[in-house]
Amino acid sequence: MTASFLIAFVVGGLFCVIGQLLFDVAKLTPGHTLCLLVVSGAVLDGFGLYEPLIDFAGAGATIPITSFGNSLTHGALQEAEKHGLVGVITGMFEVTSSGISAAILFGFIASLLFRSKGRP
Amino acid sequence: MDRQAYSQLEQQITPKTPIALNLVKAFVTGGIICTIGQGIMYFYMYFFDFTERTAGNPTVATMIFIAMLLTGFGKYKRIAQFGGAGSAVPVTGFGNAMISAAIEHRTEGYVLGVGGNMFKLAGSVIVFGVFSAFVVALIKTILVKLGVVGW
Amino acid sequence: MKRVIAIAGTCLLLAGCGAGAGEIRVSGGEPEENQKVEEVLKEKDGRIVSAVAVFVHEDLLVGVQVKPFSRFSKTKIEEELTKELEKAFPEETVTLSTDLKIFWETDKLDELEEEDKLHKKVETIKSLSKEET
């Protein structure tokens, strides 16, 4: 159990180091960096590499934004596996990521609850 | 002052980004966020009927809920200043981007302000996520149909 | 800040010491059957940290914990072990999982006495192990 916390720490930290390298060394904007990470998550799932990583690192792999790409691709692939090529298209309208829905929901709730403090 | 001299002067004055230090900060911040996530995941597994596979979804939602509280009380900014990518790469950073945009544009009304601006920063992530998922799924399905790879 | 680190450190230390040692526990079946399950699980000993197996009527429920670096190949280990156990016990329905949740729930099965609750729990474990994201 302790080992899984440690692994989550290290793997999650390494994802963030990759992000920081893209910030500082490749001089990408945060937007570009996040998009790149999401796309790489989708591609990794295409090769079937992201699920083993989740098995290994737990939250260390599900918390970084790469898991968005993974869960979207995973949903699409599951549909595709059932219904073939048509499944890819119909699957795209079924896939959701809990992160996106949660962000929309809590974003709206936050706008009801909190007031902007103005720019610092 | 010509252009060359100016750029030289600019390079002298602007502080060099301490890359090594930034990397360590990002590693620690991101690591701590993921460790908290792991704790929440175990909480859901222990008290509810979630397995390691399915506990990821409620965990992500809870992390974004925490991000909402931190953003609302203005604490996430400080974490972001310290952690850099360490606070941006986890989903909390994505949540923060959407939530802070929603709070900030509330004065413009709920439909045009909140609804319209929420996706201003985070929208590109969703667009590229969905599109890349489509392309990857399409390529893989075609490859499977051709018999190059298995599922 | 220092206090937080101190508390976190103590928690980690306590958790580390509290973790159970590697063991394989089988119950609910005939002694020979129990022995057999243990043998099958021991064959893969290099990767398994601990395991719980319980016989309930027609069901054989197994929760397995693998070593951290073997977790990459969790699905493969699951398939292999399920196949071997099915070969060894053709008349039982084998439900095997490397998931921590299944491990916990199977562990709790032993304490249940009432037939009703036992049956319910078995069904829950089975449906949980089939679930996917």
Side-chain angles (χ1 to χ4, degrees):
Chain A
M1 196 118 147
T2 325
S4 25
F5 279 104
L6 205 65
I7 290 168
F9 183 89
V10 172
V11 174
L14 285 178
F15 270 112
C16 296
V17 166
I18 294 170
Q20 191 71 44
L21 281 174
L22 290 171
F23 275 12
D24 284 352
V25 179
K27 304 279 181 213
L28 291 178
T29 66
H32 283 93
T33 309
L34 294 188
C35 288
L36 197 64
L37 285 173
V38 168
V39 172
S40 52
V43 172
L44 278 178
D45 190 56
F47 289 111
L49 294 174
Y50 208 83
E51 285 294 308
L53 190 64
I54 291 178
D55 280 344
F56 172 62
T62 51
I63 298 290
I65 198 126
T66 35
S67 72
F68 266 14
N70 165 58
S71 63
L72 291 171
T73 311
H74 215 70
L77 279 176
Q78 253 169 15
E79 278 294 306
E81 207 172 338
K82 266 185 236 155
H83 306 296
L85 218 46
V86 187
V88 179
I89 296 155
T90 57
M92 280 327 289
F93 301 107
E94 279 184 32
V95 292
T96 37
S97 161
S98 62
I100 292 172
S101 350
I104 294 172
L105 179 67
F106 292 132
F108 193 76
I109 292 174
S111 74
L112 298 174
L113 289 178
F114 298 105
R115 229 163 257 280
S116 168
K117 296 194 180 76
R119 286 171 199 281
Chain B
M1 193 189 284
D2 58 23
R3 193 172 285 173
Q4 217 172 11
Y6 175 78
S7 68
Q8 251 178 11
L9 189 68
E10 190 199 6
Q11 267 180 6
Q12 275 172 14
I13 292 172
T14 45
K16 269 190 186 157
T17 39
I19 290 179
L21 184 67
N22 277 353
L23 289 181
V24 172
K25 279 180 178 173
F27 181 76
V28 172
T29 313
I32 289 174
I33 292 175
C34 290
T35 313
I36 295 170
Q38 185 78 20
I40 295 172
M41 200 172 128
Y42 277 141
F43 166 79
Y44 276 113
M45 278 163 61
Y46 198 82
F47 293 103
F48 299 96
D49 278 345
F50 286 107
T51 59
E52 274 178 55
R53 277 276 159 91
T54 51
N57 287 341
T59 306
V60 166
T62 314
M63 290 305 281
I64 290 177
F65 177 74
I66 295 172
M68 175 187 99
L69 294 181
L70 289 175
T71 310
F73 292 117
K75 302 281 184 229
Y76 205 87
K77 237 175 272 160
R78 277 205 227 152
I79 303 174
Q81 270 165 8
F82 175 81
S87 69
V89 172
V91 282
T92 45
F94 173 81
N96 172 61
M98 274 179 89
I99 292 161
S100 62
I103 295 175
E104 202 170 302
H105 292 277
R106 179 173 113 143
T107 43
E108 294 159 36
Y110 283 110
V111 176
L112 295 177
V114 174
N117 288 298
M118 207 191 251
F119 296 98
K120 216 171 195 175
L121 297 164
S124 59
V125 171
I126 298 175
V127 169
F128 279 97
V130 172
F131 184 68
S132 61
F134 176 71
V135 172
V136 168
L138 196 68
I139 291 172
K140 186 151 188 189
T141 314
I142 291 172
L143 286 182
V144 170
K145 291 278 172 219
L146 293 177
V148 184
V149 287
W151 283 112
Chain C
M1 195 62 196
K2 265 182 193 162
R3 199 182 297 163
V4 174
I5 294 172
I7 292 171
T10 335
C11 289
L12 269 179
L13 208 69
L14 284 175
C17 295
E23 53 173 290
I24 295 174
R25 196 158 57 76
V26 192
S27 58
E30 307 285 318
E32 305 141 36
E33 286 180 326
N34 290 356
Q35 193 85 42
K36 219 166 165 189
V37 173
E38 219 166 298
E39 266 167 33
V40 172
L41 292 177
K42 273 226 175 94
E43 259 173 46
K44 304 270 184 282
D45 211 15
R47 294 179 290 183
I48 291 174
V49 177
S50 55
V52 199
V54 180
F55 284 94
V56 185
H57 307 306
E58 251 86 87
D59 286 306
L60 171 59
L61 300 153
V62 192
V64 180
Q65 284 298 293
V66 294
K67 278 192 178 160
F69 282 96
S70 300
R71 279 194 225 157
F72 278 117
S73 44
K74 251 180 174 181
T75 24
K76 228 170 123 195
I77 294 175
E78 264 176 34
E79 276 171 23
E80 280 175 26
L81 284 176
T82 314
K83 224 177 242 167
E84 294 213 5
L85 282 175
E86 264 169 0
K87 219 164 52 184
F89 302 98
E91 67 276 12
E92 308 268 350
T93 321
V94 181
T95 308
L96 183 139
S97 178
T98 50
D99 205 288
L100 188 57
K101 176 75 181 172
I102 309 287
F103 181 77
W104 283 341
E105 295 295 322
T106 315
D107 201 26
K108 280 189 222 157
L109 268 182
D110 266 352
E111 296 154 23
L112 288 175
E113 297 291 328
E114 292 162 63
E115 195 70 7
D116 274 11
K117 279 188 187 165
L118 199 66
H119 185 71
K120 225 180 200 173
K121 199 98 194 177
V122 170
E123 289 305 312
T124 333
I125 292 176
K126 275 190 188 168
S127 68
L128 275 178
S129 71
K130 278 196 197 90
E131 232 170 78
E132 277 194 38
T133 25

